[in-house]
Amino acid sequence: MTKKAVLAFSGGLDTSVVVKYLQEDHDMEVITVTVDVGQGDDYKKVAAKSKKLGAKKHYHIDATKEFVTDYVFPSIKANALYQKKYCLATALARPLIAQKFLQVAKKEKVDALAHGCSGKGNDQVRFDVTMRAGSNLPIIAPIRDLNLDRPTELKFAKKHGISIDSVAKKYSIDQNLWGRAIEGGDLENPYNEPKDDAFIWVKTKNLPKKPTYIEITFQKGVPVAVDGKTMGPVKLLEYVNKKAGAAGVGIIDHIEDRVVGIKSREVYETPGALCLIEAHQDLEKMVHTKHQNKFKSIIDDEWAHLVYSGLWEDPLRADLEGFINQSQKYVTGTVKLKLYQGSMRVVGRKSKYSLYSHDVATYGEDSTFDQKLAKGFVELWGMQSTEANKLQKKR
Ligand code: ARG
């Protein structure tokens, strides 16, 4: 009997090439699975492509809402930015895709799991580790196994009559509701400024002459309303992405350290993520003590690092989330952002749990803070440092 493989399929260059390799090199029947995490592809086309490539069956699984509530929202609570820049769009989607994919593998009783990741990136780690957490089936990754490069893939695709869209010929793209990653081509020279054609979410020309304001309301660390309108998770993200992108906000360009040790130049469009994380973090600062703020940033950093590194399944995540979720108890309130000509800044915040006290902070005559108390405090606070300097000068 012919063996069966299930393949995580996007319809892009890599996964299309993999269908053919599985059929030809491994003599396998292929079942393709596309998990919708808001990548906005034409799914009819994806299904048609799978069929044209000769896949035996195609699954389309809508996981957009789950993606936002169970993956994106926890990342907002953790202010998750890998290396202070990257909102983890791809990193968050991979474990979810792998889990959905495993469900199909079980149902279809396949003999192998397959993906189109290269051996250079992080996605192979995220896929392999999550798949391993739920299955012992062999994992076939032809791009990695055969050490394929993009030009070879493009030639192979042409030979097999696989159509590839024009953007994919220039860049390697991965996108979902939380962000769009653009790699390759011109961008491989880290000194090259990204060309306008790399961007589709963020406006780069003819930006509005007037500033755009956006007000984000959080409840226990989760965004629930924007501009006074309560919205469901998916709608809310789409709304912020669109509004911030139109104001030119959301482009990230940085040098990233991959799990496998490679340094890569990464360009992202993540308007919603940048606004929501900035606003969330600002609100936390208003409702948490300075000790909470300092400590949480360490936990946040660990969370982002763990998830980036493909270890979504590691028990440490739940441990960290125990702390993070507890810390969100009072993260309720509204933050106002001003977006103008590509820049973004918090210009206002309010919360019923605010620890900001006007009476203490004011420089006005109604201040309740007794400045005289500060004198002794400052003396003791600096005592050890002052003494150290004195003693060291003497010796
Ligand atoms: N560097 C990012 C990450 O590892 C984005 C990867 C995007 N993948 C792609 N095929 N363009 O999460």
Side-chain angles (χ1 to χ4, degrees), residues 186-242:
D186 246 23
L187 302 171
E188 288 184 353
N189 177 345
Y191 201 71
N192 281 349
E193 179 176 348
K195 295 202 180 99
D196 284 342
D197 70 356
F199 304 116
I200 59 170
W201 290 15
V202 179
K203 217 170 161 187
T204 52
K205 281 184 297 223
N206 306 319
L207 291 167
K209 297 270 182 293
K210 282 196 196 142
T212 304
Y213 288 90
I214 185 162
E215 283 185 330
I216 304 169
T217 302
F218 294 88
Q219 219 160 46
K220 295 197 166 119
V222 169
V224 291
V226 186
D227 294 338
K229 288 182 281 270
T230 304
M231 290 179 211
V234 174
K235 274 260 153 2
L236 185 142
L237 242 188
E238 285 170 347
Y239 179 93
V240 183
N241 268 331
K242 209 167 160 201

Side-chain angles (χ1 to χ4, degrees), residues 14 82 86 88-92 94 121-123 126 150 171-175 180-184 254 256 258-259 264-268 308:
D14 295 326
Y82 176 67
Y86 167 44
L88 303 176
T90 300
L92 288 166
R94 292 306 186 236
N122 300 315
D123 290 339
R126 299 163 186 155
R150 260 182 109 71
Y171 303 110
S172 164
I173 308 277
D174 183 65
Q175 65 182 42
R180 180 168 183 266
I182 312 130
E183 291 179 297
H254 85 142
E256 191 169 294
R258 287 192 190 155
V259 182
S264 66
R265 192 275 183 93
E266 299 283 338
V267 176
Y268 300 104
Y308 180 84

Side-chain angles (χ1 to χ4, degrees), residues 360 367-381:
V360 171
S367 169
T368 56
F369 183 91
D370 181 0
Q371 296 185 52
K372 292 197 286 293
L373 286 174
K375 190 171 184 290
F377 163 75
V378 177
E379 198 140 315
L380 296 182
W381 172 251

Side-chain angles (χ1 to χ4, degrees), residues 333-349:
T334 298
V335 178
K336 181 165 52 177
L337 298 169
K338 181 178 183 173
L339 319 174
Y340 184 58
Q341 302 273 323
S343 76
M344 179 251 298
R345 146 168 89 88
V346 176
V347 292
R349 67 288 279 165

